[in-house]
Amino acid sequence: MSLAAVVLAAPVQTDTSTSCRSDPQCGPIPGESSIYSDYTGKSAPFPADSTAPVPANTTGPAREDDILFQNLLSAEWAVFSFYQQGVKAFNESSFIDLGFPNTTYQRITEIRDNEAGHLRIFQDSISSNSIKPGACNYHYGFTNAMEFLSLQNIIEVSSMAFLTGLAQQAKTNATTGALVAVAETESRHETWALIDVWGEDPFAGPADTTFAYANQILYITTASFIIPGSCPSENPTYPNPSQNLPQLDYNSSTSTGHPGSPITFVYRENKYTNKTSVPEYVSGKDYYAVFFHGVNNITEPYDTKTNSSVIPAVFDSKGIILAVIADTPGAPTLDSVVAGPMILLLSPASATNITGIA
């Protein structure tokens, strides 16, 4: 694909009305239209050519998974917008000049198209009795193509992680199946990045990491990109519900962030509120660092005076580890988590701690 082809591709003309976005049969259909795979234009494809929320147009009770899909659509707006900003900011030579394969920009554009398809799938999954959230404005902090690629890896692994949690929240088998199918696509995106961009082994062992509390991940990842005050006033709270937990980082001067390493947690500023919050530890009560990896979790003692623990040495150095501070071993319930989660990225090894994205 030539640079000229990328720049000169005409925007796809579609119906941008809210009535069209309320009708699953209006506009390009995911799985049927090639726009969600090989559109090469700089302009946003349908349905992202209109970022306004779509109001409910019928009355009655919400469908049982409407809130789940509202959360997912809000998250997807942040993911799509990241790729859309990359498509507009860069071109083929931006990546070729850095030594990356000459297909890198093409793949980023193709992922952008896939993410537009996800927008449409999630819009269509919300009933006509509920609002379909619109886009906010987002700041990702990348200033060049290398920084964009580093953040791309982070966004994909966090997407895979929160989808495992949303699948556990789903009320219907159809919703679970749709979430698994989307997670498989995100895994393909991450596999491409690990092989072509980072030159890494793409495999993460027998299972990627599952985490039940999806909204906690949404809060520290996609929600952190939102420019405060930029969301449409009609949008529901995001994520809904939100615990607004203290956010975690760690002292990289004393820890590798890999299995077996001691770790000292620090509480970081929430860029959305510009505040740093800490848990209110109860004197005499035990707290724990709970580490999730693969389909299991391991609990380690947590010293509330030094904020220190140790990353379980038995974990393999594949994929990601999620860590939370909890008041109960294993963090068996949503309310047992008092801080976190923090995501430790084990591959590529050069980008271990990803919570600094906010």
Side-chain angles (χ1 to χ4, degrees):
M1 181 178 64
S2 70
L3 178 59
V6 172
V7 174
L8 298 177
V12 174
Q13 300 299 316
T14 53
D15 185 346
T16 60
S17 65
T18 56
S19 61
C20 181
R21 281 162 174 71
S22 298
D23 179 2
Q25 298 305 310
C26 183
I29 297 174
E32 299 179 17
S33 173
S34 63
I35 188 177
Y36 299 122
S37 295
D38 54 19
Y39 166 61
T40 60
K42 291 275 191 179
S43 300
F46 182 88
D49 48 352
S50 176
T51 60
V54 179
N57 59 12
T58 57
T59 58
R63 192 180 294 160
E64 51 195 341
D65 281 326
D66 273 0
I67 292 177
L68 181 153
F69 279 112
Q70 286 175 327
N71 278 329
L72 193 47
L73 178 56
S74 294
E76 185 57 49
W77 275 119
V79 174
F80 168 83
S81 297
F82 167 74
Y83 284 105
Q84 177 62 22
Q85 286 189 22
V87 168
K88 293 187 72 173
F90 305 118
N91 55 38
E92 284 183 332
S93 63
S94 303
F95 301 99
I96 294 172
D97 291 349
L98 294 174
F100 293 112
N102 59 11
T103 56
T104 302
Y105 181 80
Q106 177 186 347
R107 295 288 176 259
I108 290 167
T109 304
E110 194 171 353
I111 294 173
R112 184 273 311 266
D113 297 345
N114 289 174
E115 302 297 351
H118 294 169
L119 286 173
R120 189 54 174 161
I121 290 170
F122 304 150
Q123 286 180 337
D124 292 344
S125 299
I126 298 169
S127 75
S128 59
N129 292 338
S130 298
I131 188 171
K132 306 177 195 297
C136 307
N137 295 328
Y138 307 94
H139 177 71
Y140 303 97
F142 64 84
T143 60
N144 55 54
M146 179 61 78
E147 291 175 355
F148 175 87
L149 290 173
S150 296
L151 189 52
Q152 185 266 342
N153 189 54
I154 291 165
I155 285 174
E156 291 299 339
V157 296
S158 64
S159 297
M160 292 158 58
F162 68 64
L163 283 163
T164 68
L166 290 173
Q168 294 175 66
Q169 295 177 14
K171 302 296 194 300
T172 71
N173 290 336
T175 296
T176 301
L179 296 176
V180 171
V182 171
E184 289 173 333
T185 297
E186 302 299 349
S187 181
R188 289 173 186 257
H189 298 166
E190 174 65 1
T191 298
W192 162 75
L194 288 172
I195 294 174
D196 265 18
V197 175
W198 301 104
E200 296 263 353
D201 180 352
F203 302 131
D208 277 298
T209 297
T210 182
F211 186 75
Y213 313 131
N215 287 18
Q216 294 178 0
I217 298 179
L218 296 176
Y219 181 67
I220 67 162
T221 54
T222 51
S224 71
F225 297 126
I226 297 172
I227 296 173
S230 70
C231 295
S233 60
E234 304 95 325
N235 273 14
T237 300
Y238 175 71
N240 180 23
S242 177
Q243 296 169 280
N244 301 321
L245 292 175
Q247 299 186 22
L248 296 174
D249 205 333
Y250 77 96
N251 187 343
S252 59
S253 67
T254 60
S255 177
T256 65
H258 281 249
S261 175
I263 186 166
T264 299
F265 293 94
V266 296
Y267 300 103
R268 66 185 179 89
E269 181 181 81
N270 181 324
K271 295 298 171 54
Y272 197 78
T273 63
N274 294 318
K275 296 179 180 179
T276 300
S277 59
V278 299
E280 295 182 0
Y281 294 120
V282 177
S283 178
K285 182 179 177 65
D286 290 331
Y287 292 86
Y288 308 89
V290 185
F291 298 89
F292 296 78
H293 185 58
V295 297
N296 300 314
N297 68 72
I298 293 177
T299 298
E300 297 284 356
Y302 178 71
D303 188 327
T304 58
K305 292 184 174 60
T306 61
N307 298 324
S308 61
S309 186
V310 62
I311 303 171
V314 296
F315 286 156
D316 59 36
S317 293
K318 301 274 189 183
I320 65 170
I321 296 171
L322 290 107
V324 302
I325 308 303
D327 62 11
T328 308
T333 65
L334 184 71
D335 291 336
S336 69
V337 179
V338 300
M342 178 176 66
I343 305 178
L344 297 168
L345 182 64
L346 302 179
S347 180
S350 59
T352 298
N353 176 26
I354 76 165
T355 58
I357 61 175

